[in-house]
Amino acid sequence: MQIRNNYLYKKFSSIKTSILFLGILAVFYLAGTIFPQGGNIEDYINEGGRFVLLVKIFGLMNLFSTPLFLIVSLLLFVNLTICTWERFLILCKETPLDTGFISTHIIQLNGKDEIDEIFIKKLGFRKLYSDTSKTIMIKGLSYKWLTCLYHLGIFLCFIGFFLTYLFAFEDEIIIYPDEIKTIQPSVQSRFNKLFGKKAEELPFKVKLAEFTTEYNQMPSIDYPKERLSRLAIALGWQDKPIKYKIKDESLFPKDWKSRLMVIRDDKLIIEKIIEVNDPLEYGGFTFYQAAFEQKLKVTMDKSPIGIEVEIGKEAILPGIEDALVFKNLRVGTLFRKDGRTEKIIPSVDVYMVKGKGLMANGIKDKEKIGKLELGGYLTIEDRAVDIKEFMEATILSYRYDPGVAILWFAGILVLAAMAMRIYMTWYMIMYRIDRESKVPLLRLSIKARGLLADEAGIIRQIRHFTRKYQ
């Protein structure tokens, strides 16, 4: 083809060009591990991030969406495609019949014509070609097919990447128990943005049938009062076993689970309890257990009117001068260290904000004034505060990504075919029997592929079996 003589085509068919592009991309990946990707520049500045001016100018927090990264990636794709095509053409041209016969091994025979039987029945070869000048035997999976297979896998990977880049999107929904949620994505895929399309409502609904949270007790080391004993523990010189202590308040979340129902056309399609790392998949969407949200209502002096407060945020209650903060709402099941489980009495820690000024670290000074349990009350400045109602909602992260299935298949195909290509053995033996001399001679050459290939071993076996027949 005329294009193969083009200067640019020759450059793009070179592995040196691939290495150049990979080197440039490696710089991007290195920078991507230094600067947080997808973050907010204001948060980066507030957290003491460095080189702010460079980060803003070069978009270092969105490196993998910059035009330069995308252009280099595209050029690498073109380069690899051309390299693959050129390699494929070379593979197609390589045929055993075109290979000239030059014997590299000579083995004496006793005149019996059992060589084909030795190769086929004893050594597992199969005959590929035979004429008066040479016979060709092969053994093992063709390395050409394996090479084509893993290149096909790489090509499918690029298709998967392309589909993910164009059509994937991720969003989040909050669902309360017994709520049936119609899902309207608030984000759009790049394809929709490109063509000005709006994200469509999902053709099914999701119901949260149940949400549960689980906690573990969190033990801490019971350090002795003596400093030397504490030092001995730190240095590992303590002969006695380390003691632990557990406070009732020392709980940390073990897991949170959502029993989800997918409803389509008023029919239950699928029901599953999901948790972290165990998502629900349906219709190309994957729903992950991301977090949970809590709501709390308190009442004052047994009033029938509840006051909604946000967990972790300041709240002003009537008749109480200073702001209050309700934290650590605990509901669900407790798994104790001794193996027992029990239902947690719903409770929340109550803090009072001391004054309106900030401490030196910029955080308001808060003092814990008690723990409020369901069914009890806490007296704050002569006002009786109790829990009226609480709710927990699940926060689900859902993702649509049509490229994932292709990437799974293609990734496995690439790894399997490449491993077989590297390790599996393939042999081709070309031989003829020279009967012109007094003693018939087996003249042969052997080619092998694969790290486990053993040419010398094959030759030893041939000598062994021909000797046996002599």
Side-chain angles (χ1 to χ4, degrees), residues 166-395:
L166 276 184
F167 298 104
F169 65 90
E170 190 169 350
D171 203 358
E172 195 174 89
I173 52 171
I174 301 174
I175 315 179
Y176 280 87
D178 296 325
E179 183 183 7
I180 300 176
K181 197 86 170 185
T182 299
I183 303 173
Q184 174 64 56
S186 60
V187 295
Q188 298 194 60
S189 65
R190 288 184 175 88
F191 182 84
N192 281 352
K193 288 179 183 176
L194 188 65
F195 291 96
K197 291 186 176 180
K198 292 184 178 178
E200 295 181 357
E201 183 180 292
L202 270 56
F204 55 86
K205 300 174 183 177
V206 177
K207 177 181 178 181
L208 176 64
E210 186 182 11
F211 179 74
T212 56
T213 49
E214 298 175 350
Y215 292 87
N216 275 337
Q217 287 184 310
M218 188 165 61
S220 58
I221 297 177
D222 188 9
Y223 285 105
K225 294 182 180 178
E226 298 80 18
R227 291 183 178 180
L228 290 179
S229 298
R230 296 163 66 94
L231 180 62
I233 291 176
L235 296 175
W237 296 346
Q238 179 81 358
D239 294 333
K240 299 177 182 177
I242 298 174
K243 294 181 179 178
Y244 293 90
K245 58 184 177 182
I246 299 175
K247 295 181 179 178
D248 289 341
E249 297 82 7
S250 301
L251 309 180
F252 67 95
K254 171 179 176 286
D255 200 358
W256 45 94
K257 302 176 181 178
S258 300
R259 184 155 64 89
L260 300 179
M261 298 173 133
V262 175
I263 298 169
R264 189 165 189 164
D265 299 331
D266 297 326
K267 293 180 180 177
L268 175 63
I269 303 298
I270 188 171
E271 179 176 349
K272 181 180 179 182
I273 297 176
I274 69 166
E275 55 187 308
V276 177
N277 296 327
D278 184 17
L280 166 69
E281 297 180 8
Y282 176 72
F285 290 84
T286 305
F287 292 85
Y288 300 92
Q289 181 66 69
F292 60 90
E293 181 182 85
Q294 296 175 319
K295 281 185 178 180
L296 177 67
K297 278 186 179 180
V298 298
T299 58
M300 309 285 292
D301 300 326
K302 302 293 183 183
S303 168
I305 301 174
I307 303 170
E308 186 169 324
V309 296
E310 290 188 65
I311 298 296
K313 294 187 178 180
E314 291 184 15
I316 302 295
L317 300 186
I320 300 177
E321 184 178 351
D322 293 316
L324 300 178
V325 177
F326 296 84
K327 293 177 63 177
N328 305 325
L329 176 61
R330 300 274 168 69
V331 184
T333 305
L334 171 63
F335 291 79
R336 292 188 172 277
K337 292 295 290 182
D338 58 11
R340 292 181 294 128
T341 61
E342 61 183 56
K343 286 290 181 186
I344 297 174
I345 298 174
S347 66
V348 63
D349 296 329
V350 184
Y351 293 79
M352 179 171 281
V353 179
K354 308 299 288 184
K356 297 182 180 179
L358 302 176
M359 295 190 298
N361 57 5
I363 299 173
K364 285 188 177 181
D365 183 19
K366 296 188 286 287
E367 178 187 2
K368 184 176 179 179
I369 57 175
K371 182 178 179 181
L372 188 57
E373 286 189 346
L374 184 66
Y377 67 91
L378 192 64
T379 302
I380 307 173
E381 297 180 3
D382 297 330
R383 305 297 303 271
V385 181
D386 62 5
I387 296 175
K388 178 177 179 58
E389 184 180 289
F390 62 87
M391 291 184 73
E392 283 189 318
T394 185
I395 300 179

Side-chain angles (χ1 to χ4, degrees), residues 411-431:
I412 293 172
L413 179 64
V414 169
L415 292 177
M418 196 172 284
M420 292 169 71
R421 171 66 181 84
I422 292 172
Y423 291 102
M424 286 193 69
T425 57
W426 176 87
Y427 300 98
M428 183 183 77
I429 284 181
M430 193 178 299
Y431 71 89

Side-chain angles (χ1 to χ4, degrees), residues 113-143:
D113 297 328
E114 304 290 350
I115 301 305
D116 284 3
E117 185 177 339
I118 291 173
F119 280 122
I120 295 171
K121 294 186 177 179
K122 302 295 181 182
L123 299 177
F125 279 80
R126 59 185 183 278
K127 186 181 288 186
L128 181 68
Y129 175 79
S130 182
D131 63 15
T132 55
S133 63
K134 61 186 176 184
T135 299
I136 299 175
M137 297 271 187
I138 59 173
K139 178 181 179 180
L141 273 176
S142 169
Y143 68 94

Side-chain angles (χ1 to χ4, degrees), residues 30 36 75 77 84 93 143 154 225 244 257 265 301 312 351 359 372 379 406 432 441 449 463:
L30 183 64
L75 291 176
F77 174 74
T84 303
K93 287 181 180 177
Y143 68 94
I154 293 172
K225 294 182 180 178
Y244 293 90
K257 302 176 181 178
D265 299 331
D301 300 326
Y351 293 79
M359 295 190 298
L372 188 57
T379 302
I406 295 176
R432 71 165 172 255
L441 299 176
R449 294 285 190 279
R463 290 185 187 280

Side-chain angles (χ1 to χ4, degrees), residues 43-187:
D43 295 337
Y44 179 75
I45 296 171
N46 293 334
E47 292 171 4
R50 304 178 66 183
F51 310 113
V52 174
L53 184 59
L54 292 176
V55 170
K56 287 182 177 178
I57 293 174
F58 294 105
L60 297 180
M61 294 182 68
N62 291 290
L63 273 174
F64 304 122
S65 300
T66 55
L68 181 58
F69 177 83
L70 296 177
I71 289 172
V72 174
S73 300
L74 180 62
L75 291 176
L76 176 64
F77 174 74
V78 174
N79 165 245
L80 291 178
T81 303
I82 293 176
C83 287
T84 303
W85 175 249
E86 288 295 317
R87 177 62 181 155
F88 179 71
L89 293 179
I90 293 172
L91 279 176
C92 290
K93 287 181 180 177
E94 287 181 354
T95 61
L97 301 182
D98 295 335
T99 307
F101 177 55
I102 300 174
S103 64
T104 53
H105 302 275
I106 300 175
I107 299 173
Q108 289 187 355
L109 301 176
N110 69 351
K112 294 183 179 179
D113 297 328
E114 304 290 350
I115 301 305
D116 284 3
E117 185 177 339
I118 291 173
F119 280 122
I120 295 171
K121 294 186 177 179
K122 302 295 181 182
L123 299 177
F125 279 80
R126 59 185 183 278
K127 186 181 288 186
L128 181 68
Y129 175 79
S130 182
D131 63 15
T132 55
S133 63
K134 61 186 176 184
T135 299
I136 299 175
M137 297 271 187
I138 59 173
K139 178 181 179 180
L141 273 176
S142 169
Y143 68 94
K144 289 184 180 180
W145 283 110
L146 293 174
T147 303
C148 291
L149 269 181
Y150 74 72
H151 277 86
L152 173 65
I154 293 172
F155 178 70
L156 291 176
C157 282
F158 276 106
I159 292 178
F161 296 147
F162 189 67
L163 290 176
T164 294
Y165 179 79
L166 276 184
F167 298 104
F169 65 90
E170 190 169 350
D171 203 358
E172 195 174 89
I173 52 171
I174 301 174
I175 315 179
Y176 280 87
D178 296 325
E179 183 183 7
I180 300 176
K181 197 86 170 185
T182 299
I183 303 173
Q184 174 64 56
S186 60
V187 295

